[in-house]
Amino acid sequence: MVLVTGGAGYIGSHTIVLLIEACYEVVIFDNFSNSSRESIYRVEKLVNQKIDLVEGDIRNGDDLQKVFDSYKIDSVIHFAGLKAVGESVEKPLKYYDNNVNGTRVLCEVMRENGCKSIVFSSSATVYGDPHTVPILENFPLSATNPYGRSKLFVEEILRDLYLSDNEWKIVLLRYFNPVGAHESGTIGEDPNGIPNNLMPFIAQTAVGKRESLSVFGDDYDTPDGTGVRDYIHVVDLADAHVKALDNINSFDEVMSINIGTGNGYSVLDMVKAFEEASLKKVPYVIAKRRAGDIASCYANPSYAKEVLGWEATHSIKEMCEDTWRWQSNNPNGY
Ligand code: NAD
Ligand code: UFG
């Protein structure tokens, strides 16, 4: 059985669908601090079965022990975490407690129960401001904000854990920019309040919830001056987790793996692709650069293909069409 922490969230819910389709048995553990039960009900409809759920907090060892008492857990996919970069600057202790301490408690409970297999949600943010692109896994690591540092610290903790006991099987998946939604249009990204990320902001502008998009800077050293990122369809990302689990027992070192498409698209590329997919106008204004942003960030994803047999298959058109289906069917989210 696979324990999926944060399984009610955006990436977790999509991964649950693919895990069940691949015949894995799953139990979700979530405190619903950034999600709702509705996402799980909708996943249940998609896969046509009930999904086991334990409500609790990863920082609470007793909550976690309940899961290990009730189920035979073989491995953990660990999505639970806070992810708002701006909030992490305002409230760093909240991020270190939830993301770093939470992971420490989780690993402790896993160890006590003889479960030593974990796939961790890391991020391209651990590369800081890369010297060159595309980014390879052996590039230097750094962080520019508390959220990024929480990911980097957890990576380090997991590497130390492996050094102390190499029975651990650890996969660090470094996601680039997850976007899109399940093609059914019934589950997707449902940010609280005003979205920080580009894709949900564009989608909410297209559906009429926001007046216009602010493009944060048009004077970067990129083809059109706007920031370039590696957008990856959330279903491709979910599939990378299934492949990580399929292969995890064959690894005899901590695996750090980029999960991206290898293609960089600018903010204006994304606006255009979204307008084409939605047949809606996305009004925008050029605004000043956002503090902490970098010009270009995209992966060299060849290691994922080599060690997981995984590569992204969804195009930017599908990312926009699926986001639009989710957004237009669910203008107010779940
Ligand atoms: P999300 O907020 O939709 O999902 C996270 C889930 O974890 C939520 O359901 C939340 O309620 C739960 N959670 C948070 N703290 C918890 C705690 N202490 N105990 C139990 N449950 C808790 O976010 P997401 O986009 O699905 O991201 C999943 C993971 O991937 C996160 O760790 C995030 O940092 C990482 N990641 C996300 C992105 C991105 O852009 N979405 C990029 C790189 C990495
Ligand atoms: N952007 C805008 N306007 C907006 C929002 C974003 O122009 O309203 C631009 C940004 O300046 C950037 C691009 O769109 O050039 C993408 O921005 P996002 O906020 O969507 O994504 P980031 O690349 O800044 O950050 C994301 C996650 C981080 C993660 C990082 C690397 O939010 O958590 O990818 O994985 F660390």
Side-chain angles (χ1 to χ4, degrees), residues 82-102:
L82 301 174
K83 60 168 183 178
V85 173
E87 187 193 39
S88 81
V89 176
E90 306 286 322
K91 299 177 180 166
L93 299 180
K94 179 177 175 184
Y95 275 67
Y96 292 127
D97 182 36
N98 201 87
N99 295 4
V100 181
N101 184 43

Side-chain angles (χ1 to χ4, degrees), residues 54 120 126 158 161 185 227 245 250 283 288 294 330:
V54 175
F120 173 63
V126 300
L158 293 174
L161 190 56
L245 272 193
S250 69
K288 64 180 188 341
I294 59 179
N330 306 271

Side-chain angles (χ1 to χ4, degrees), residues 32-306:
F32 299 105
S33 59
N34 196 38
S35 55
S36 67
R37 281 191 164 68
E38 180 63 21
S39 66
I40 301 177
Y41 300 145
R42 296 202 185 179
V43 170
E44 287 179 334
K45 273 204 185 132
L46 277 175
V47 298
N48 202 20
Q49 71 174 64
K50 286 293 279 180
I51 295 169
D52 289 345
L53 162 73
V54 175
E55 184 171 354
D57 194 300
I58 51 166
R59 292 166 296 178
N60 184 324
D62 294 338
D63 286 356
L64 281 167
Q65 187 55 46
K66 282 188 202 139
V67 184
F68 285 86
D69 287 342
S70 310
Y71 301 92
K72 163 92 190 66
I73 304 297
D74 305 300
S75 36
V76 175
I77 303 185
H78 177 32
F79 293 108
L82 301 174
K83 60 168 183 178
V85 173
E87 187 193 39
S88 81
V89 176
E90 306 286 322
K91 299 177 180 166
L93 299 180
K94 179 177 175 184
Y95 275 67
Y96 292 127
D97 182 36
N98 201 87
N99 295 4
V100 181
N101 184 43
T103 305
R104 183 195 64 77
V105 174
L106 171 65
C107 291
E108 190 78 55
V109 175
M110 288 174 67
R111 192 175 53 84
E112 283 163 9
N113 289 275
C115 172
K116 298 181 180 178
S117 169
I118 183 168
V119 178
F120 173 63
S121 298
S122 190
S123 165
T125 193
V126 300
Y127 297 112
D129 191 353
H131 295 306
T132 58
V133 281
I135 298 172
L136 279 164
E137 286 82 354
N138 61 6
F139 277 24
L141 303 179
S142 68
T144 53
N145 56 66
Y147 166 72
R149 244 180 308 280
S150 76
K151 291 292 172 191
L152 198 48
F153 289 163
V154 170
E155 284 205 359
E156 299 285 11
I157 289 169
L158 293 174
R159 280 188 278 269
D160 284 340
L161 190 56
Y162 178 78
L163 289 178
S164 74
D165 173 359
N166 55 28
E167 279 180 10
W168 278 87
K169 302 286 180 189
I170 299 172
V171 179
L172 313 173
L173 296 182
R174 294 178 178 155
Y175 316 156
F176 282 68
N177 290 54
V179 298
H182 189 268
E183 62 172 5
S184 63
T186 59
I187 57 171
E189 187 172 11
D190 182 19
N192 276 327
I194 301 172
N196 297 309
N197 295 114
L198 179 65
M199 193 60 144
F201 203 105
I202 289 181
Q204 291 193 6
T205 307
V207 86
K209 276 183 81 175
R210 313 266 160 220
E211 210 167 286
S212 72
L213 168 74
S214 295
V215 175
F216 297 143
D218 67 350
D219 56 353
Y220 284 106
D221 183 15
T222 61
D224 66 18
T226 66
V228 167
R229 296 290 183 277
D230 186 337
Y231 297 94
I232 171 150
H233 197 294
V234 66
V235 172
D236 280 331
L237 181 54
D239 181 43
H241 292 78
V242 175
K243 300 231 159 57
L245 272 193
D246 291 345
N247 289 286
I248 197 161
N249 287 324
S250 69
F251 299 138
D252 49 14
E253 59 182 321
V254 176
M255 301 296 284
S256 309
I257 308 174
N258 286 344
I259 303 296
T261 65
N263 303 313
Y265 288 96
S266 74
V267 176
L268 297 182
D269 290 336
M270 295 306 285
V271 168
K272 185 159 173 278
F274 203 89
E275 288 183 337
E276 284 168 8
S278 65
L279 304 176
K280 296 279 174 191
K281 210 62 203 144
V282 179
Y284 67 85
V285 291
I286 304 294
K288 64 180 188 341
R289 291 183 179 193
R290 181 171 65 180
D293 274 359
I294 59 179
S296 267
C297 177
Y298 55 94
N300 178 330
S302 50
Y303 191 56
K305 186 166 186 196
E306 184 189 325

